[in-house]
């Protein structure tokens, strides 16, 4: 635990850093690949809509003891009745004494209904009076889908205005909404690929993950705003400050996600593997995939996209120019090119030296101009107060008052230091 806490402290102070912003094109490529796979599953396989959305018939069977073995036997017997609407029934246990069988739309008291009932009574060993039938129309599911879509659109609009009003930055709002859409698309694609049934519980899970993803993104954006509120006085660029904010909140984001995902994973395992209950596993899968995608998008998508959108602003560009100028002034060999075989050879070393000195002078002039804009580090005439270019071993070059010329005393005999006993001899 000591090492983990030390890593977290190093990430917060900046002594150790993960370059999330600088590798944003890598994260964009990974997200694009995941979205393409999700959309391909949605297009070619489609969603497995539940009975509430496509309509159908539900048979609830009261038994002495509901077991998964009995549910499997009922699924096989009902599917082999020859009724088209019951070829692929959904059978699940509901509590300890009930089994629910969902099929397509079957008219009550029809020949198909009688075949299904006979298969249930013969397999489960119960009387016909122990079977209750419920017909669900597709219109109810359509209303649920429309209400869910309306709620999603209203939620996204409110998110845009909330982030815009809180941070006073529309680009943060756009980045946050893109991250939300990213999470929803991935979750829907996973549902299509896994074949899990989409029920009203699934819709509830979708709306829940939107809030979780937004919460994590807002926390990171708040740290970005704190780090970049006085960018002109900072020695770092906007991208560096945003990347520092991501590293500072990384441990919190990972810990929060793990704490939230572990119980959801436990519910998903118990409901899908042991119990087989549809409602729990549907909402658990939506929550698990959505939370994992929300954590990923808040770190790898939202903030890098924000930096990308703000890269053309004047304050951000000026901060990058100041950082480059300070780097060149601190290290006079920062721009020395690496040797390559096709590097051109200068014919006149003095000409090359003069061009390099002129380039250094231009860099210093750019730094002076930027510092003059900030109103710091300049004399009343606008020139630097002192020059501290390194020469030799730690020596400081004095300011030149006039050009160096040959001294008139160069031809005279210069005095020498002698002991007092020999002076005047």
């Amino acid at each position: 635990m000591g090492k983990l806490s030390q890593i977290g402290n190093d990430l917060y102070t900046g002594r150790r850093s993960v370059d999330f912003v600088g590798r944003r094109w890598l994260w964009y490529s990974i997200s694009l690949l995941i979205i393409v796979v999700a959309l391909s599953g949605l297009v070619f396989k489609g969603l497995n809509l539940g009975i509430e959305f496509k309509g159908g018939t539900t048979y609830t069977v009261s038994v002495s003891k509901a077991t998964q073995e009995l549910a499997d036997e009922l699924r096989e017997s009902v599917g082999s009745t020859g009724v088209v609407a019951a070829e692929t029934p959904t059978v699940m246990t509901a509590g300890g004494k009930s089994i629910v069988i969902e099929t397509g739309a079957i008219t009550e008291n029809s020949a198909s209904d009688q075949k299904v009932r006979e298969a249930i009574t013969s397999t489960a060993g119960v009387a016909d009076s122990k079977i209750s039938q419920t017909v669900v129309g597709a219109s109810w599911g359509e209303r649920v889908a429309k209400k869910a879509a309306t709620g999603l659109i209203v939620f996204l609009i409110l998110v845009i205005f909330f982030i815009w009003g809180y941070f006073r930055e529309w680009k943060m709002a756009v980045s946050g909404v893109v991250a939300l859409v990213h999470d929803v698309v991935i979750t829907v694609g996973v549902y299509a690929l896994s074949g899990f049934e989409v029920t009203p519980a699934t819709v509830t899970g979708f709306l829940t993950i939107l809030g979780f993803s937004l919460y994590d993104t807002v926390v990171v954006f708040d740290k970005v705003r704190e780090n970049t509120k006085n960018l002109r006085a900072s020695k770092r660029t906007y991208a560096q400050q945003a990347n520092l904010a991501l590293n500072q909140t990384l441990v919190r984001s990972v810990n929060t996600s793990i704490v939230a995902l572990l119980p959801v994973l436990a519910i998903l395992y118990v409901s899908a593997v042991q119990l087989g209950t549809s409602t729990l596993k549907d909402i658990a899968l939506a929550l698990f995939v959505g939370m994992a995608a929300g954590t990923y998008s808040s770190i790898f998508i939202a903030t890098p996209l924000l930096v990308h959108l703000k890269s053309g602003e004047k304050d951000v560009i000026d901060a990058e120019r100041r950082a480059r100028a300070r780097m060149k002034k601190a290290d006079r060999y920062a721009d020395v090119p690496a040797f390559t075989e096709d590097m051109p050879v200068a014919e006149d070393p003095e000409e090359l030296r003069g061009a390099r000195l002129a380039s250094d002078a231009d860099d210093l002039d750019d730094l002076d101009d930027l510092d003059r804009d900030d109103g710091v580090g300049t004399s009343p005439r606008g020139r630097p107060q002192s020059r501290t270019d390194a020469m030799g071993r730690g020596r400081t070059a004095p300011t030149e008052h006039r050009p160096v010329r040959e001294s008139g005393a160069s031809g005279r005999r210069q005095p020498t230091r002698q002991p007092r006993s020999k002076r005047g001899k």
Side-chain angles (χ1 to χ4, degrees), residues 39 101 110 159 165 204 229 307 337 341 348 352 379 397-398 414:
L39 292 179
I101 304 172
S110 62
V159 165
T204 304
K229 63 182 178 180
V307 175
E341 294 295 337
D348 189 357
L352 181 61
S379 63
Q414 301 298 319

Side-chain angles (χ1 to χ4, degrees), residues 21 31 40 60 83 93 100 102 118 172 218 226 239 270 288 353:
V21 175
S31 295
S40 63
T60 304
V83 179
T93 59
V100 178
E102 296 179 352
E118 290 175 2
M172 284 188 174
V218 168
E226 178 183 346
V270 172
F288 183 82
R353 179 175 178 273

Side-chain angles (χ1 to χ4, degrees), residues 145-157:
K146 290 180 180 179
K147 294 293 184 182
T150 302
L152 177 61
I153 294 174
V154 172
F155 180 82
L156 292 178
I157 294 175

Side-chain angles (χ1 to χ4, degrees), residues 18-19 22 24 32 36 40 42 49-51 54 59 91 99 189 218 230 264 276 280 303 314 320 322 353 376 401 422:
V18 181
D19 191 9
R24 57 179 178 266
L32 181 61
V36 168
S40 63
L42 186 62
L49 297 178
I51 191 174
K54 61 183 180 182
Y59 295 93
V91 184
I99 295 179
V218 168
N230 194 10
V264 175
L280 282 178
T303 306
K314 183 179 182 303
E320 292 178 354
R322 285 194 293 268
R353 179 175 178 273
V376 295
H401 298 284
K422 294 184 179 180

Side-chain angles (χ1 to χ4, degrees), residues 220-273:
V220 178
F221 280 178
D222 192 61
K223 195 63 180 177
V224 172
R225 182 182 63 171
E226 178 183 346
N227 290 353
T228 60
K229 63 182 178 180
N230 194 10
L231 193 60
R232 294 178 65 87
S234 175
K235 295 184 179 180
R236 295 181 178 178
T237 63
Y238 188 92
Q240 291 172 343
Q241 293 286 41
N243 193 76
L244 177 62
L246 277 175
N247 283 272
Q248 289 174 335
T249 57
L250 180 62
V251 175
R252 187 212 64 83
S253 298
V254 172
N255 290 340
T256 303
S257 301
I258 292 176
V259 171
L261 286 174
L262 285 179
V264 175
L265 181 62
I267 295 174
L268 179 61
Y269 173 77
V270 172
S271 60
V273 178

